[in-house]
């Protein structure tokens, strides 16, 4: 792979760079999309190590197929479609060799919260939380930075507790900023399953924040 020494700034530059086997273009994409790809792949396979292999296989397929990229979708959509197909194939192969009992409960198991904490059918936003947590301090003081790091630590620990698919959905939606349709396409989920996994995952994260920070993070049932 060639070394250009510059960082591509546009999608056209990235595509041209990949076609030229430019190292900077490839490194830019790996840095920008690699973590999200890893989390998306993890939603299909059983371990982080296998997810890494899926991502590596995806990049190989991208480099082999970039000359056939016609630009009918964004480069990102094209790459993530390859990732989804690669991960699904690997996941199907795994399920043929891993006892189903070891995968039981991986989709919908997990904590939830009481129905009285959500808005009713007659509300403007049915199914939404009745109350949101108190605003976190925004600023650049040392205290705020410490608090931010503390919040991040609690969230990271909570995410680590989640079953793989819940963790994938929550991280792709809430950390990577993908919308519901993108997550469904990446993970091969129906819209209903995506909502269930997201709800259960978010519920555990919120529960852990409430446990750690008490009233400062508590979602009350009272409007």
């Amino acid at each position: 792979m060639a070394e250009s020494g510059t960082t591509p700034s546009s999608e056209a530059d990235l595509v041209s760079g990949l076609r030229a086997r430019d190292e900077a273009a490839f490194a830019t994409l790996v840095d920008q999309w690699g973590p999200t790809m890893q989390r998306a792949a993890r939603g299909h396979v059983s371990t982080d190590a296998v997810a890494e292999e899926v991502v590596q296989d995806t990049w190989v397929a991208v480099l082999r197929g970039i000359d056939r990229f016609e630009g009918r979708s964004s480069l990102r959509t094209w790459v993530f479609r390859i990732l989804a197909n690669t991960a699904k194939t690997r996941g199907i192969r795994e399920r043929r060799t891993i006892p189903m009992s070891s995968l039981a409960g991986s989709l919908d198991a997990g904590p939830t919260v009481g129905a009285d904490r959500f808005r009713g059918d007659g509300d403007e936003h049915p199914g939404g939380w009745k109350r949101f947590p108190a605003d976190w301090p925004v600023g650049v003081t040392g205290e705020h930075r410490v608090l931010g790091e503390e919040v991040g630590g609690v969230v990271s620990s909570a995410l680590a507790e989640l079953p793989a698919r819940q963790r994938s959905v929550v991280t792709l939606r809430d950390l990577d900023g993908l919308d519901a349709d993108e997550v469904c396409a990446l993970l091969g989920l129906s819209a209903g399953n995506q909502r269930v996994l997201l709800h259960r995952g978010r519920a555990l994260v919120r529960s852990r924040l409430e446990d750690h920070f008490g009233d400062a993070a508590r979602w009350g049932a009272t409007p």
Side-chain angles (χ1 to χ4, degrees), residues 7-164:
T7 301
S9 57
S10 70
E11 178 162 309
D13 291 337
L14 288 169
V15 173
S16 297
L18 289 178
R19 285 174 172 161
R21 303 299 187 262
D22 179 79
E23 189 171 299
F26 184 69
T28 296
L29 290 181
V30 170
D31 289 343
Q32 290 182 355
W33 299 346
T36 302
M37 293 171 70
Q38 171 78 17
R39 287 188 281 269
R42 186 65 177 83
H44 290 278
V45 298
S46 61
T47 67
D48 291 339
V50 176
E52 290 177 8
E53 292 177 5
V54 168
V55 174
Q56 291 171 7
D57 290 345
T58 298
W59 286 123
V60 171
V62 167
L63 291 174
R64 286 176 175 168
I66 190 63
D67 290 335
R68 298 190 297 276
F69 175 65
E70 298 177 345
R72 295 181 179 178
S73 65
S74 69
L75 178 64
R76 182 176 183 276
T77 297
W78 183 72
V79 170
F80 275 67
R81 191 177 298 138
I82 293 173
L83 172 77
N85 290 334
T86 304
K88 288 175 186 174
T89 300
R90 187 63 177 267
I92 291 171
R93 195 187 313 161
E94 275 196 327
R95 286 190 285 276
R96 289 174 179 163
T97 57
I98 298 174
M100 291 301 294
S101 58
S102 67
L103 301 176
S106 61
L107 271 177
D108 297 334
T112 186
V113 295
D116 61 346
R117 302 181 71 179
F118 296 94
R119 299 175 186 273
D121 292 338
D123 190 273
E124 182 181 0
H125 303 289
W129 292 90
K130 285 184 176 178
R131 294 189 64 187
F132 293 96
D135 291 337
W136 297 107
V138 176
V140 294
T141 67
E143 182 182 357
H144 293 164
R145 282 196 294 271
V146 170
L147 178 58
E149 291 172 359
E150 188 174 359
V151 172
V154 174
V155 171
S156 295
S157 297
L159 289 173
E161 291 184 45
L162 294 174

Side-chain angles (χ1 to χ4, degrees), residues 111-113 118 127-129 132 155 158-159 162 166-167 169-175 178-180 194-210 219:
T112 186
V113 295
F118 296 94
W129 292 90
F132 293 96
V155 171
L159 289 173
L162 294 174
Q166 287 184 28
R167 181 168 57 250
V169 171
V170 173
T171 53
L172 290 171
R173 288 292 309 275
D174 294 341
L175 299 184
L178 275 62
D179 63 30
Q194 190 270 158
R195 283 196 297 272
V196 170
L197 292 166
L198 182 64
H199 167 75
R200 290 184 178 278
R202 282 176 172 173
L204 183 134
V205 173
R206 289 177 175 182
S207 174
R208 294 296 180 265
L209 286 168
E210 290 175 356
W219 279 251

